Amino acid sequence: MKYLVLIGILIYSFDVKSQNNDVLFFEKNLNNTLHFYVANTTKTKQEVELQIVNSKGLRGDKKPQTKEIAPRDTLLFYSFSIIGAYSYNYNIKATPLFEIEQVSSDLETNFDEGVVIFFKPDCPRSQRTLSYLIENDIEFKILNVTENKDYPVLMMQLLKEKRKSSKQLLYPVVLVNGEVYFNFDIPQSFQKIFNEF
């Protein structure tokens, strides 16, 4: 609850320029200095890349900044001196960072109950799926296919048993109470897949 109050205060105190499901970008003008902040509104650590571009009337280091922001936290990214009428644009990208050890499981998993994900850490689709599950408080087990050579074999065996095949297989492969999903639209299919769970 205290985090919600903090975010509410931040929204009131700052000029909010952008928001998406993951991060909020704020500016605050204080004593002729313009400060840029990013707030992580999720329950997952985020790696945020921010770049100020096409700026006028601002003096300071404009190199792109990449920072990790803890869940429900806010960080200062830039401070610029205001030297006249100012304007700027910015580019922002947020990527969820998951601690695989915190959500890993082993081959004792029951594939007919709950949510099980065959996950690739470098796969943006896998990252978005985990982010959705965490944000919606859906319990799941994860099998990192790059961590254990048995997991891809097991995954293909399950697909074969469920008579699911595809010329191209996109990660993640998700089992929900024994039903297999893969190559699904993200995030459009999430509600359909997880609605009944």
Side-chain angles (χ1 to χ4, degrees):
M1 183 65 181
K2 68 179 180 179
Y3 295 118
L4 294 176
V5 172
L6 176 62
I7 289 175
I9 291 169
L10 287 171
I11 291 171
Y12 179 76
S13 303
F14 293 85
D15 184 13
V16 179
K17 293 293 182 183
S18 168
Q19 73 180 48
N20 59 37
N21 292 336
D22 298 330
V23 296
L24 299 174
F25 173 77
F26 303 99
E27 79 171 41
K28 174 100 175 158
N29 187 339
L30 185 61
N31 297 328
N32 221 27
T33 302
L34 194 62
H35 303 281
F36 294 135
Y37 296 86
V38 177
N40 176 4
T41 65
T42 71
K43 299 175 186 175
T44 307
K45 185 190 291 185
Q46 298 279 335
E47 181 180 77
V48 176
E49 298 173 32
L50 179 65
Q51 182 175 19
I52 303 300
V53 294
N54 304 324
S55 66
K56 295 179 183 173
L58 298 174
R59 184 180 319 156
D61 184 5
K62 297 176 184 133
K63 292 179 188 170
Q65 299 283 329
T66 301
K67 296 184 180 184
E68 290 183 7
I69 307 179
R72 310 286 188 203
D73 199 4
T74 301
L75 285 182
L76 173 66
F77 272 69
Y78 291 100
S79 293
F80 296 110
S81 299
I82 300 172
I83 55 174
Y86 68 87
S87 65
Y88 63 89
N89 290 315
Y90 63 92
N91 299 318
I92 191 168
K93 178 184 173 190
T95 305
L97 299 174
F98 298 96
E99 302 294 331
I100 299 301
E101 305 78 41
Q102 293 176 353
V103 287
S104 64
S105 61
D106 57 29
L107 286 171
E108 301 295 318
T109 300
N110 180 351
F111 295 104
D112 292 324
E113 292 180 13
V115 177
V116 180
I117 300 175
F118 289 92
F119 168 86
K120 250 182 141 174
D122 60 349
C123 167
R125 293 169 54 87
S126 293
Q127 292 283 347
R128 287 196 298 272
T129 301
L130 289 185
S131 183
Y132 177 89
L133 294 171
I134 291 169
E135 288 300 308
N136 288 281
D137 293 322
I138 298 172
E139 289 186 22
F140 61 94
K141 294 193 178 186
I142 185 167
L143 301 176
N144 182 350
V145 297
T146 61
E147 202 174 71
N148 187 319
K149 63 180 169 86
D150 294 333
Y151 292 168
V153 174
L154 177 64
M155 180 187 73
M156 295 310 291
Q157 179 184 339
L158 284 166
L159 288 170
K160 186 176 179 183
E161 285 175 10
K162 303 284 184 181
R163 301 190 195 295
K164 303 281 185 177
S165 63
S166 177
K167 291 180 181 177
Q168 181 181 9
L169 179 68
L170 298 176
Y171 281 93
V173 172
V174 179
L175 284 89
V176 180
N177 293 332
E179 186 66 33
V180 178
Y181 298 92
F182 60 99
N183 295 4
F184 51 87
D185 294 327
I186 296 176
Q188 293 83 355
S189 296
F190 282 149
Q191 280 189 323
K192 180 180 177 187
I193 294 171
F194 301 111
N195 228 9
E196 298 172 5
F197 185 70

